Amino acid sequence: MVFGRRTRIWAGALVVACVILMGPSAPTGALFARPLPAGAVKGVVPDRVMTWNLCNPCGKSDLDRAREIATYAPQVIGVQEACVRDVERIRIHLRRYYGLVYHVEYGTVLQDWGRCGGVPWNPGGYGQAVLSAAPMTDPVSVEYPDGGSEDRGYMAVTTTVDGRLVRVFNTHLAQRRQETVRAGQTKVLAAAVARYDRAIVLGDFNAVPDAPELAPIWKLATDADPRCRPTYTGGGCTPTTDWHSKFDYVFLRGITPLRHRVHPTPYSDHDLLHADLDIGQQAEAASKGGPGADR
């Protein structure tokens, strides 16, 4: 009896130690991947990009997150509220269970033990990440001068979408009710995006389309949803959050959208948003001296 009690105590201590080391972002749920649903794509869609706020810490399984991504298999995915350990596990699951191989670049702005686990002297990285089926070059990670109640930033990479090289940005703006802070952040982001005549801007902007702080981005780009404009009055833009607001965007500069979809998910308080693009059309115009040329 004494031995059994000690064994149970020791096993319990090991569980607690694992929770402390792995942290709240540790995966939960099934140990085996479920098959993809009917209608899932077969392999990476080369002209598709996606943005998804993972919701962290929310105690969701990285295996379930990988299945959600694999169902739509975009060429490029920008994720926010992303812990480095979570993203690495998602990549492993995508390759192991669904045969999808992605490269990754990180735009971490925090080392956050509370969100991402690790140990107090070596906490996990937290922020943005971009996964791409093609290699990425020229990565940058920029922290906004004022993050608001939590450090925020943007990252950018150059990668291939629709067979063309394009600059891809991924950002997460300041939390709700911090309009002035977001206004400063969009000015910083817009200045970076303006250097490229062809760019994709993904992210959680924490603002509805007609919010004044988004004006610098609207001056440079359009939404992948052609009905969604800064004059939004409630019926033109599909909501992307559990509280029925559109906070998530695929902004396009010098790129033609073909179609877009918002997919509700039980694994985050933000929906998955993806868009299929025609970059070649603008690139052809650029080769003839049109407005699509890269600077």
Side-chain angles (χ1 to χ4, degrees):
M1 293 294 291
V2 173
F3 177 77
R5 182 172 180 270
R6 287 178 177 174
T7 300
R8 290 193 297 271
I9 292 173
W10 175 244
L14 284 177
V15 170
V16 171
C18 288
V19 170
I20 290 174
L21 289 174
M22 298 180 74
S25 68
T28 59
L31 295 176
F32 301 98
R34 293 179 292 146
L36 296 179
V41 301
K42 306 297 183 183
V44 170
V45 182
D47 63 353
R48 178 169 293 172
V49 298
M50 175 187 287
T51 184
W52 191 19
N53 182 313
L54 296 179
C55 183
N56 215 320
C58 288
K60 301 300 182 181
S61 165
D62 291 323
L63 194 54
D64 289 327
R65 289 166 167 169
R67 182 174 181 268
E68 291 285 86
I69 292 171
T71 299
Y72 310 107
Q75 175 79 5
V76 171
I77 314 111
V79 291
Q80 307 86 39
E81 294 195 21
C83 294
V84 170
R85 291 179 179 87
D86 283 337
V87 174
E88 284 303 311
R89 283 190 288 258
I90 290 169
R91 288 179 70 213
I92 291 170
H93 297 327
L94 285 167
R95 181 179 67 248
R96 177 179 298 167
Y97 297 114
Y98 304 112
L100 301 174
V101 178
Y102 285 99
H103 306 265
V104 65
E105 292 288 347
Y106 293 100
T108 53
V109 293
L110 284 172
Q111 298 296 312
D112 196 316
W113 181 84
R115 287 183 183 268
C116 297
V119 290
W121 56 90
N122 185 25
Y126 171 81
Q128 291 78 245
V130 170
L131 294 90
S132 174
M136 291 174 277
T137 60
D138 304 317
V140 300
S141 180
V142 176
E143 184 175 334
Y144 292 124
D146 183 358
S149 55
E150 179 180 82
D151 293 345
R152 295 289 165 92
Y154 77 83
M155 62 177 298
V157 298
T158 297
T159 190
T160 302
V161 178
D162 191 29
R164 306 278 183 169
L165 288 176
V166 63
R167 195 66 169 167
V168 178
F169 293 81
N170 182 22
T171 191
H172 188 192
L173 299 190
Q175 295 172 349
R176 286 178 285 175
R177 296 179 292 277
Q178 299 181 47
E179 295 85 354
T180 302
V181 175
R182 288 196 300 274
Q185 293 171 348
T186 56
K187 289 178 181 178
V188 172
L189 178 61
V193 174
R195 296 172 51 202
Y196 301 89
D197 285 347
R198 189 166 68 232
I200 301 167
V201 187
L202 310 171
D204 172 7
F205 285 73
N206 271 319
V208 294
D210 64 345
E213 61 266 30
L214 294 190
I217 304 299
W218 284 115
K219 289 179 181 178
L220 296 172
T222 58
D223 192 84
D225 180 355
R227 300 176 305 167
C228 189
R229 293 290 179 264
T231 53
Y232 167 78
T233 58
C237 305
T238 306
T240 63
T241 67
D242 284 356
W243 49 96
H244 306 295
S245 295
K246 178 178 171 64
F247 278 6
D248 305 271
Y249 296 83
V250 176
F251 282 115
L252 304 174
R253 178 167 166 84
I255 296 171
T256 302
L258 297 177
R259 62 194 66 87
H260 77 286
R261 286 288 303 276
V262 175
H263 300 279
T265 173
Y267 305 114
S268 176
D269 54 357
H270 287 250
D271 300 327
L272 293 88
L273 167 62
H274 74 67
D276 298 344
L277 311 175
D278 184 353
I279 296 180
Q281 178 177 321
Q282 295 286 348
E284 183 178 352
S287 68
K288 299 177 181 179
D294 280 344
R295 288 175 179 162

